[in-house]
Amino acid sequence: MSWTPQEEQEFLARRRRRNIMIGLVLGAFALLFYGITVSRMVQ
Amino acid sequence: MAGNGIHIAEGGAPTGALSAADWRDYWSLLKPRVMTLVVFTGACGLFAAPGHLPPFLAFVAILCIAVGAGAAAAFNQWWEADIDAVMKRTQARPLPSGRLHADNALAFAVILSAASVMTLGFATNWVAAGWLAFSIFFYAVIYTIWLKPRTPQNIVIGGAAGAFPPIIGWAAVTGDVTTLPLLLFAIIFAWTPPHFWALALFVRIDYANAGIPMLPVTHGVRETRKQILIYSLVLAAVAVAPWALGLLGAIYGIAAALLSLIFVALAVRVAASRTENAAEMAAEKALFRYSLLYLAAIFAALVVDRGLA
């Protein structure tokens, strides 16, 4: 079974959105740990 | 076959288009609406606790409680995908609809569990992190895998899983668990059965079709109504206990007494109802809606009382 060009385009768009979201979450996670470290040092 | 579960045919074209999950599918695995209540009760536990936590660390603690609850929900949906496929209410979820691969859902749940527990431990203390880890284990294993498919008392014992957030919030500040957070736990614990059984009464056909032994399915509508009334009385007693024991002031005491009085009145209406037709269960629907407001209001009263103390 193969995809139609439209289905493939939809798949690629979903994957792109998912990858962008993973990047954002990982960036936020790094910032979170930076913030935790600073807060604990100040505390 | 690609690593993310997307099947690629010989010619290179991927197959199984619907398994290409969007980030929104992962987001819905977390049951964001349930998370709202968890965040609220966890935050109330945190604000009610004596002591001080820097605002950023308080934010991280609440975030970890939310993510931990979301991870437990993802475990639940991963395990119950076949049941969800049978029930109208849950058929459109990412796993039963085929948009998301089961392995990816499991990996997502494991990663979020580990990340939330470790982050909470690092940001606050390991007592809070331990409670969070135990709450995820309790919901995913004891409730979802063990109790829910085996006993009509699933909601009673499983209700404990949703009752941990105030304890975790409290422990994040104090590193300890005392009488008040245990009473907050007891309030949610006693609130869960009448809340879920009110819902189960008007969706019992769905539960019966899915083979889940919910009380209305196993013991009938009449017995469920009786149990709702009994648990509502227990809830009322537990809800006023923090005031009666002198742990909270009059603001909380008056609010808890009035809110509980309405709760019991609605439960009496449910107990007096005789209809078996879901469409005519106005009393049950009213109790279900009010129970959501009840929990939010009683925890808000707790925070106001502690804030003014």
Side-chain angles (χ1 to χ4, degrees):
Chain A
M1 184 187 150
S2 60
W3 281 356
T4 63
Q6 202 178 8
E7 282 177 327
E8 195 168 345
Q9 212 167 25
E10 172 63 16
F11 164 73
L12 291 173
R14 282 175 178 223
R15 192 172 63 179
R16 189 168 53 245
R17 286 198 294 267
R18 208 168 61 223
N19 288 340
I20 290 169
M21 192 51 70
I22 290 170
L24 288 173
V25 168
L26 288 178
F29 195 62
L31 281 175
L32 195 74
F33 265 74
Y34 173 73
I36 293 170
T37 308
V38 170
S39 291
R40 293 210 65 146
M41 282 168 69
V42 171
Q43 199 183 11
Chain B
M1 182 177 162
N4 60 359
I6 303 300
H7 296 268
I8 307 293
E10 276 181 17
T15 61
L18 292 175
S19 64
D22 198 78
W23 67 269
R24 279 165 286 221
D25 293 319
Y26 284 95
W27 173 247
S28 74
L29 270 189
L30 305 178
K31 294 191 185 170
R33 274 197 295 180
V34 177
M35 216 196 260
T36 314
L37 200 63
V38 167
V39 165
F40 180 70
T41 56
C44 288
L46 194 141
F47 292 132
H52 173 73
L53 199 61
F56 185 74
L57 295 183
F59 162 75
V60 173
I62 294 167
L63 182 70
C64 289
I65 293 171
V67 173
F75 271 121
N76 174 275
Q77 289 191 56
W78 166 74
W79 183 259
E80 294 186 343
D82 53 342
I83 297 170
D84 285 347
V86 182
M87 294 175 67
K88 263 190 229 161
R89 194 169 60 86
T90 52
Q91 271 169 351
R93 285 178 178 175
L95 284 163
S97 65
R99 293 196 304 278
L100 185 60
H101 197 282
D103 291 347
N104 291 349
L106 178 61
F108 183 63
V110 171
I111 289 168
L112 288 189
S113 300
S116 60
V117 170
M118 298 306 285
T119 306
L120 184 62
F122 181 56
T124 62
N125 59 71
W126 294 100
V127 174
W131 277 102
L132 180 62
F134 182 68
S135 73
I136 296 169
F137 170 79
F138 195 97
Y139 188 76
V141 179
I142 296 181
Y143 172 64
T144 302
I145 297 176
W146 184 40
L147 289 171
K148 195 173 174 183
R150 282 179 178 79
T151 164
Q153 293 302 310
N154 49 20
I155 288 301
V156 178
I157 304 160
F164 286 112
I167 291 184
I168 302 166
W170 183 285
V173 179
T174 64
D176 193 14
V177 177
T178 53
T179 313
L180 185 56
L182 289 176
L183 283 172
L184 301 180
F185 172 92
I187 290 171
I188 305 177
F189 183 69
W191 167 88
T192 307
H195 167 74
F196 272 106
W197 283 335
L199 169 76
L201 278 170
F202 55 86
V203 297
R204 71 184 190 287
I205 306 295
D206 259 6
Y207 282 117
N209 289 341
I212 300 174
M214 293 296 273
L215 198 63
V217 178
T218 58
H219 289 69
V221 170
R222 199 174 166 181
E223 177 62 23
T224 306
R225 286 180 171 132
K226 193 176 113 190
Q227 293 293 328
I228 283 176
L229 182 58
I230 293 169
Y231 273 93
S232 300
L233 293 169
V234 172
L235 172 63
V238 172
V240 295
W243 168 73
L245 293 173
L247 299 169
L248 291 170
I251 293 174
Y252 173 83
I254 293 166
L258 286 175
L259 288 163
S260 300
L261 202 66
I262 299 170
F263 199 107
V264 170
L266 289 171
V268 168
R269 243 181 90 199
V270 169
S273 173
R274 290 288 170 266
T275 183
E276 301 230 345
N277 182 354
E280 293 169 2
M281 290 185 180
E284 288 77 2
K285 287 171 187 169
L287 178 63
F288 177 72
R289 280 195 300 269
Y290 177 74
S291 63
L292 289 166
L293 174 74
Y294 174 87
L295 199 67
I298 214 156
F299 274 83
L302 160 83
V303 173
V304 171
D305 191 282
R306 292 291 288 199
L308 295 177

